[in-house]
Amino acid sequence: MMHRQRGVGLVEVLVAVLLLSVAVLGFSALQIRAVSATDESLVRTKSMTLVRNLSEVMRAYPEAYVTVSGTTFVTAAASDAGAVPTIQAVISGSATNTVKVDSDDISITGTDSCLSTGIKTVDDKKVAKQACSINQLAARDALMVKKIATDEDIKVNVTTCPGTTTQAIQTQMCVITAWNSTKAILDDDDEKACADSNGIYKSGSQCLISEAY
């Protein structure tokens, strides 16, 4: 009988190790999922902060409109053909640090900017040597928000909300933030778009769409 039972203890140990391994693997998977959920929650929080900041910037310059041309913009009235809110033009454009507004460089680096620490006297009043126009200030503030988004690896875009015909910040605009492989756009054909043209989120997209007025 003793001869026949040799190795039984080893089998029991192997079975115990197998069960323990399954339990550990399950726990590891749970940990990975928990970390992923935490990261997702963190990036969503950052995205909401960006949206709030950008919404405040949009409200600060309701009359700022430009015509769009790459990274170069020209001041326009809201009623002009092709006029786009300055914030939308800068955020949606390719520029990251510097743009041109009415032929003047506007930069968040401080090397080329209408902002200045110097002052001059005009009619017995001290004013900045270089004064920014509303569109230049709007462009600079938009660049700062865009730079923060870039540093956080979050893509940001401003577009007209689905169903809104008037392209004006005062009516209804959609701020889209996206991360990882998702694009901050509304597109029916692009599989990596945040949502379709009706604003319906696409399956698996990692993004947020927020309305701003």
Side-chain angles (χ1 to χ4, degrees):
M1 292 296 292
M2 293 294 294
H3 177 74
R4 293 180 180 179
Q5 291 180 359
R6 287 180 181 177
V8 172
L10 180 59
V11 172
E12 291 176 347
V13 170
L14 290 175
V15 171
V17 171
L18 175 62
L19 294 176
L20 181 61
S21 300
V22 172
V24 170
L25 287 174
F27 181 74
S28 299
L30 180 62
Q31 285 291 94
I32 293 174
R33 191 168 185 83
V35 170
S36 177
T38 301
D39 291 342
E40 182 78 5
S41 176
L42 180 61
V43 74
R44 283 178 177 272
T45 300
K46 292 179 180 178
S47 295
M48 289 304 301
T49 301
L50 279 171
V51 170
R52 285 195 294 268
N53 292 343
L54 187 56
S55 296
E56 291 300 321
V57 172
M58 291 163 66
R59 295 188 186 101
Y61 307 104
E63 302 300 326
Y65 281 82
V66 293
T67 52
V68 183
S69 178
T71 59
T72 303
F73 310 104
V74 179
T75 297
S79 57
D80 290 347
V84 176
T86 304
I87 305 300
Q88 178 184 354
V90 174
I91 290 293
S92 303
S94 58
T96 303
N97 295 318
T98 305
V99 297
K100 279 186 178 292
V101 179
D102 297 331
S103 299
D104 292 329
D105 288 328
I106 305 300
S107 172
I108 57 176
T109 63
T111 54
D112 295 302
S113 177
C114 57
L115 297 179
S116 174
T117 56
I119 59 174
K120 63 181 179 180
T121 302
V122 178
D123 297 331
D124 296 327
K125 295 181 180 180
K126 293 183 178 180
V127 298
K129 287 184 178 180
Q130 296 170 296
C132 296
S133 67
I134 292 298
N135 278 283
Q136 291 170 339
L137 284 172
R140 187 175 187 276
D141 286 355
L143 282 175
M144 292 186 70
V145 174
K146 191 172 184 179
K147 181 63 165 57
I148 294 173
T150 301
D151 291 342
E152 296 293 345
D153 200 21
I154 297 174
K155 297 176 282 291
V156 61
N157 191 15
V158 179
T159 186
T160 306
C161 287
T164 303
T165 55
T166 303
Q167 192 166 357
I169 287 177
Q170 298 93 323
T171 55
Q172 186 180 18
M173 302 296 288
C174 279
V175 180
I176 308 170
T177 52
W179 50 95
N180 294 337
S181 61
T182 303
K183 298 179 181 178
I185 58 175
L186 306 179
D187 190 281
D188 291 326
D189 301 323
D190 195 329
E191 294 181 355
K192 293 185 178 181
C194 174
D196 61 22
S197 58
N198 294 319
I200 300 174
Y201 286 100
K202 293 195 173 184
S203 177
S205 62
Q206 295 177 296
C207 59
L208 288 175
I209 303 174
S210 305
E211 295 180 1
Y213 297 88

